[in-house]
């Protein structure tokens, strides 16, 4: 028999404060992620943020919800992202994933969206028959350094014994790459790197179409889902800790000291994302800055769905990529969510919308 327990904002706060979330064989949520969920300005006091599934009184799985909204014709249209879904191997075949999902659909009246999901999860969503693949984003992943010692054993575990050789090969290759990139210097134009969005930037980005405003982005910067630490949270399947996890708010100016581009960068263990980019005339200079940032911080790879930026990068002579490949981000919308939205609706998502900027 499956029993479900739901948590709204107040209940989730109490769950974390009491320490009860740690009493199970695995964690249903981390403290920092719960605190961030509770501070989400798009979450009402009544909305359910976490659902636990118990089988014969043992925690079997959980699902996390991340409320969001659109403004359509001046009115708020609420929905939620499915941010986590996990079922312990001990309870496979007990129909727990479907039970959790049906409860989510019930709580949010079918207004559910999903992105950045695993292939295993996608198979489940397909079987459910209630989602449609919509609004895909074409992107690129650019590589700047070799990382054979990490990538090859992950794909072929039998090669782990050869890790020392891969490390030597990486060191030799990256030394040559560093020599090649030594020509990339600090840009001569004015730029600033901040820890959060300032007033000047807020005024600048207010002129752009964006699902998130400055205050909301700052709130999530200050309340991250991932903390910097050498330790690992083996009891939690999703992201909890990373050796490096930093947000950078970047401002780029023209020769007249006029702000022309702003961007949020997220660097995690050598891998870079661009959750937000706002620019009309400063993209070229932003690419020059980005090239410098990548070399200075020894970035291994950048994943970008910023299509205009990617097109400009294709023509750049300074961008230090050694290899690139196409990427695609899919968004699954519940059919009820699509039905409730206006015809030909375009969410105009940036790379960081949904829960993407949090991991």
């Amino acid at each position: 028999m499956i029993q479900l327990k739901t948590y709204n904002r107040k209940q989730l706060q109490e769950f974390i404060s009491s320490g009860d979330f740690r009493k199970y064989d695995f964690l249903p949520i981390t403290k920092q992620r719960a605190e961030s969920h509770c501070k989400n300005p798009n979450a009402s006091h009544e909305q359910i943020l976490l659902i636990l599934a118990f089988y014969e009184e043992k925690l079997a799985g959980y699902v996390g919800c991340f409320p969001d909204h659109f403004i359509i014709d001046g009115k708020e249209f609420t929905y939620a992202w499915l941010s986590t879904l996990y079922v312990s191997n001990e309870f496979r075949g007990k129909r727990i994933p479907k039970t959790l999902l049906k409860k989510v659909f019930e709580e949010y009246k079918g207004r559910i969206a999903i992105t950045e999901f695993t292939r295993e999860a996608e198979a489940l969503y397909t079987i459910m028959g209630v989602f449609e693949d919509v609004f895909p984003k074409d992107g690129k992943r650019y590589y700047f350094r070799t990382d054979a010692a990490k990538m090859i054993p992950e794909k072929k575990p039998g090669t782990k014994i050869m890790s020392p050789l891969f490390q030597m090969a990486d060191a030799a290759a990256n030394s040559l790459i560093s020599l090649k990139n030594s020509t990339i210097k600090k840009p001569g134009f004015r730029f600033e790197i901040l820890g959060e969005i300032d007033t000047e930037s807020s005024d600048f980005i207010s002129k752009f179409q964006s699902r998130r405003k400055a205050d909301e982005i700052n709130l999530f910067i200050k309340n991250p889902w991932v903390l910097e630490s050498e330790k690992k949270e083996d009891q939690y399947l999703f992201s909890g800790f990373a050796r490096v996890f930093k947000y950078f708010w970047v401002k780029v100016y023209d020769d007249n000291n006029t702000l022309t581009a702003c961007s949020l960068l997220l660097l995690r263990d050598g891998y870079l994302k661009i959750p937000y980019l706002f620019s009309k005339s400063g993209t070229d200079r932003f690419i020059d800055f980005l090239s410098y940032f990548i070399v200075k911080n020894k970035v291994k790879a950048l994943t970008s769905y910023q299509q205009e930026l990617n097109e400009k990068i294709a023509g750049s002579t300074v961008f230090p990529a050694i290899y690139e490949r196409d990427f695609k981000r899919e968004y699954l919308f519940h059919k009820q969510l699509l039905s409730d939205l206006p015809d030909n609706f375009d969410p105009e998502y940036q790379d960081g919308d949904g829960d993407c900027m949090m991991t």
Side-chain angles (χ1 to χ4, degrees):
M1 183 73 176
I2 301 172
Q3 300 89 33
L4 300 178
K5 186 169 184 179
T6 61
Y7 295 84
N8 60 24
R9 178 183 287 172
K10 181 181 178 182
Q11 292 163 338
L12 184 56
Q13 288 172 329
E14 292 172 349
F15 185 47
I16 295 300
S17 297
S18 69
D20 285 349
F21 73 107
R22 292 194 174 276
K23 70 182 182 181
Y24 305 107
D25 293 337
F26 55 90
L27 290 178
I29 197 167
T30 59
K31 184 174 185 290
Q32 66 268 19
R33 187 180 285 228
E35 290 174 343
S36 184
H37 271 291
C38 291
K39 293 177 181 177
N40 178 6
N42 297 317
S44 70
H45 292 292
E46 298 78 22
Q47 285 177 315
I48 298 303
L49 307 180
L50 179 68
I51 304 173
L52 306 187
F54 295 86
Y55 191 86
E56 295 180 350
E57 300 185 353
K58 290 187 67 176
L59 180 63
Y62 57 84
V63 63
C65 307
F66 187 59
D68 203 346
H69 74 271
F70 299 120
I71 300 297
I72 301 175
D73 296 329
K75 296 180 180 179
E76 188 173 286
F77 179 98
T78 61
Y79 68 108
W81 296 90
L82 202 66
S83 64
T84 57
L85 175 62
Y86 173 73
V87 175
S88 171
N89 286 329
E90 181 182 349
F91 301 96
R92 298 289 181 179
K94 306 295 185 182
R95 298 182 60 83
I96 291 170
K98 289 185 178 181
T99 302
L100 283 167
L101 287 175
K102 286 180 179 179
K103 181 61 175 176
V104 170
F105 302 158
E106 175 188 322
E107 291 291 339
Y108 285 91
K109 297 181 173 56
R111 292 183 173 185
I112 294 294
I114 318 172
T115 192
E116 299 284 290
F117 40 82
T118 65
R119 292 303 139 199
E120 182 182 19
E122 183 181 18
L124 170 64
Y125 303 145
T126 301
I127 290 172
M128 295 289 289
V130 297
F131 288 103
E132 290 191 19
D133 187 349
V134 290
F135 317 119
K137 290 174 72 73
D138 293 322
K140 292 281 188 181
R141 176 165 288 178
Y142 304 96
Y143 296 87
F144 311 104
R145 301 172 66 82
T146 68
D147 197 14
K150 177 178 180 292
M151 297 177 69
I152 294 178
E154 283 182 352
K155 293 183 178 180
K156 298 181 178 181
T159 65
K160 191 172 183 179
I161 193 173
M162 300 175 63
S163 291
L165 291 176
F166 297 146
Q167 290 172 358
M168 291 174 61
D170 284 335
N174 289 326
S175 293
L176 293 174
I177 291 170
S178 294
L179 182 62
K180 176 183 76 71
N181 289 339
S182 62
T183 58
I184 298 177
K185 305 295 183 182
K186 182 178 180 179
F189 52 81
R190 180 186 171 193
F191 65 86
E192 295 179 9
I193 303 176
L194 308 177
E196 61 182 81
I197 303 174
D198 61 356
T199 302
E200 181 184 34
S201 302
S202 180
D203 292 341
F204 179 79
I205 67 177
S206 67
K207 300 177 176 65
F208 293 80
Q209 171 68 35
S210 177
R211 291 294 170 199
R212 283 202 174 111
K213 305 303 180 186
D215 289 347
E216 186 177 348
I217 296 173
N218 275 342
L219 186 146
F220 289 123
I221 289 174
K222 296 173 183 176
N223 296 275
W225 288 8
V226 180
L227 301 181
E228 286 193 325
S229 176
E230 291 290 341
K231 70 177 182 179
K232 295 182 179 180
E233 186 62 87
D234 294 331
Q235 287 187 300
Y236 189 63
L237 178 69
F238 299 91
S239 301
F241 298 97
R243 288 184 297 102
V244 175
F245 190 88
K246 291 182 179 178
Y247 292 105
F248 303 85
W249 183 253
V250 177
K251 303 167 66 178
V252 175
Y253 296 80
D254 65 15
D255 290 335
N256 297 316
N257 281 328
T258 299
L259 186 60
T260 58
C262 285
S263 177
L264 181 68
L265 303 182
L266 171 56
L267 181 62
R268 176 176 176 169
D269 290 343
Y271 291 84
L272 189 65
K273 294 180 181 180
I274 309 177
Y276 292 96
L277 174 61
F278 304 92
S279 176
K280 288 184 177 178
S281 59
T283 307
D284 290 335
R285 284 195 170 187
F286 177 73
I287 292 174
D288 290 343
F289 164 82
L290 192 60
S291 300
Y292 161 72
F293 182 92
I294 287 165
V295 172
K296 180 183 178 183
N297 290 279
K298 297 182 178 179
V299 173
K300 297 175 183 177
L302 160 68
T303 304
S304 168
Y305 298 95
Q306 305 282 355
Q307 293 186 3
E308 183 178 344
L309 175 68
N310 294 345
E311 290 171 5
K312 288 281 186 79
I313 285 175
S316 173
T317 58
V318 299
F319 196 66
I322 59 173
Y323 175 69
E324 68 180 58
R325 65 189 181 102
D326 294 334
F327 257 58
K328 189 172 186 176
R329 176 179 286 169
E330 298 171 304
Y331 295 89
L332 298 182
F333 272 39
H334 193 288
K335 292 178 181 179
Q336 185 60 55
L337 172 58
L338 287 173
S339 176
D340 291 344
L341 288 168
D343 293 339
N344 301 315
F345 178 78
D346 184 351
E348 298 181 334
Y349 287 136
Q350 279 226 46
D351 287 21
D353 287 329
D355 57 2
C356 296
M357 76 161 280
M358 266 64 85
T359 59

